[in-house]
Amino acid sequence: MTMDSVDVTVGEKLAGAWRQHPVLLRGAAQDLLGSQRSYEWFDELLARSSDVAGVDIHRRAGEVTFIEQASRGDDELAARAAAVARIAGVPTAWCDVIRTYVKSGIGSHFDHSDNLVIQQQGVKSWRLSPPDSLSKDTMVARYRGDEGVGGAEIDSSAVIEYDLEPGDVMYIPLMWIHEGVGQTDDSLSISIVCPVVTAYTAVMTGVAAALRQIDALHRPLEPVASWMEDGARERAEQRLALVTGKVLEKLTESSSKEYMAQVQRQRYLT
């Protein structure tokens, strides 16, 4: 299966493909990143990222280095990711950066995010297949962020193949299985990651904001210490149960519901 690229703006092209199918945009990297990054730039980014909070660096010695959340250590990448987030209508986005040193990759997997892969140096071959082969339980576990979930084999009966050259951009929809392998000894690519917003995420954001407004939750609870008698322990448990019940009642009031809706609109719907 192959899909044609079309010379239109990135936003226009993604509008028809978002969450539907992959897209290859030849030469569109300039629109997303402004300039082409070099291997020297990567080495500098790697050196300064080691001490940046929230940045994770994964290595297979001599094969591949993957900088997760690299935009935390690079203001320009952070600004580019924020611009894509606004276009895509998601609250946040970030950049991952990957460099291969031999003809290798990070393996076949699927993500609970929409990804824009921007080839910077070298050539990388990609194979993708739709999430039809994934079970509902597997996808729910991935959305939930369970550890150890994400690896999957490409469905060879429905595979899409692209070769990305410097300056090319590829859109990978949410949950599509994919694998990229460098076809040159060195390759460098940047991914703009748009994490999914699940109903759980949106609901809990509103609930947490409403809970923060309830005065009863900002009072200290007695510790259930080892020296407490059984009666004291029981009273502490009863008080906690009583507060919990009152809080749940408060959340069902119209004022709390409207506050939660307002928070959700501001964060996810505007």
Side-chain angles (χ1 to χ4, degrees):
M1 184 188 302
T2 61
M3 303 185 70
D4 295 331
S5 60
V6 180
D7 290 329
V8 294
T9 67
V10 172
E12 290 173 341
K13 183 62 177 177
L14 292 180
W18 197 255
R19 301 276 170 87
Q20 300 299 315
H21 59 76
V23 170
L24 175 62
L25 297 173
R26 293 290 186 195
Q30 182 76 17
D31 297 327
L32 289 175
L33 291 182
S35 63
Q36 184 174 337
R37 271 59 172 184
S38 65
Y39 295 125
E40 291 76 19
W41 170 88
F42 175 84
D43 292 339
E44 293 172 359
L45 175 67
L46 181 62
R48 67 174 182 267
S49 295
S50 58
D51 296 326
V52 177
V55 176
D56 291 323
I57 299 174
H58 310 273
R59 292 184 175 94
R60 284 206 311 267
E63 293 186 25
V64 61
T65 300
F66 178 58
I67 309 177
E68 189 175 6
Q69 296 263 8
S71 45
R72 288 177 178 266
D74 187 290
D75 291 341
E76 176 66 16
L77 287 185
R80 297 286 176 173
V84 170
R86 289 191 294 271
I87 294 171
V90 295
T92 187
W94 66 80
C95 291
D96 296 336
V97 181
I98 181 169
R99 179 177 178 180
T100 61
Y101 304 92
V102 293
K103 296 179 181 180
S104 66
I106 61 174
S108 176
H109 64 283
F110 62 99
D111 297 313
H112 51 329
S113 58
D114 293 281
N115 295 313
L116 289 164
V117 179
I118 309 162
Q119 192 68 20
Q120 298 295 283
Q121 301 289 337
V123 177
K124 184 174 283 188
S125 293
W126 287 87
R127 302 174 70 240
L128 309 93
S129 64
D132 303 349
S133 60
L134 301 174
S135 71
K136 179 181 177 181
D137 289 345
T138 297
M139 288 193 287
V140 168
R142 186 62 165 149
Y143 284 130
R144 197 164 48 213
D146 292 358
E147 292 187 11
V149 180
E153 294 297 324
I154 299 289
D155 181 358
S156 59
S157 67
V159 67
I160 296 172
E161 296 182 330
Y162 291 139
D163 286 334
L164 263 65
E165 300 176 355
D168 292 343
V169 176
M170 177 182 61
Y171 165 61
I172 305 175
L174 178 72
M175 288 287 173
W176 273 61
I177 305 167
H178 56 279
E179 179 180 23
V181 177
Q183 295 304 301
T184 50
D185 286 342
D186 281 336
S187 73
L188 176 65
S189 60
I190 297 172
S191 292
I192 300 180
V193 181
C194 298
V196 66
V197 176
T198 63
Y200 173 83
T201 303
V203 169
M204 292 309 296
T205 298
V207 169
L211 289 175
R212 190 173 176 81
Q213 306 304 310
I214 300 175
D215 292 346
L217 289 178
H218 300 285
R219 297 169 185 167
L221 291 173
E222 293 183 12
V224 183
S226 60
W227 61 80
M228 294 177 66
E229 297 179 354
D230 290 343
R233 288 172 174 268
E234 291 175 2
R235 287 192 295 273
E237 292 175 1
Q238 290 170 0
R239 281 193 294 273
L240 179 56
L242 180 63
V243 170
T244 301
K246 288 183 176 180
V247 166
L248 292 176
E249 290 178 5
K250 181 70 174 176
L251 286 176
T252 62
E253 294 179 0
S254 58
S255 59
S256 292
K257 290 180 179 178
E258 176 53 36
Y259 183 79
M260 286 187 278
Q262 179 182 347
V263 169
Q264 291 163 344
R265 284 194 297 270
Q266 289 176 343
R267 182 159 177 79
Y268 300 113
L269 300 178
T270 59

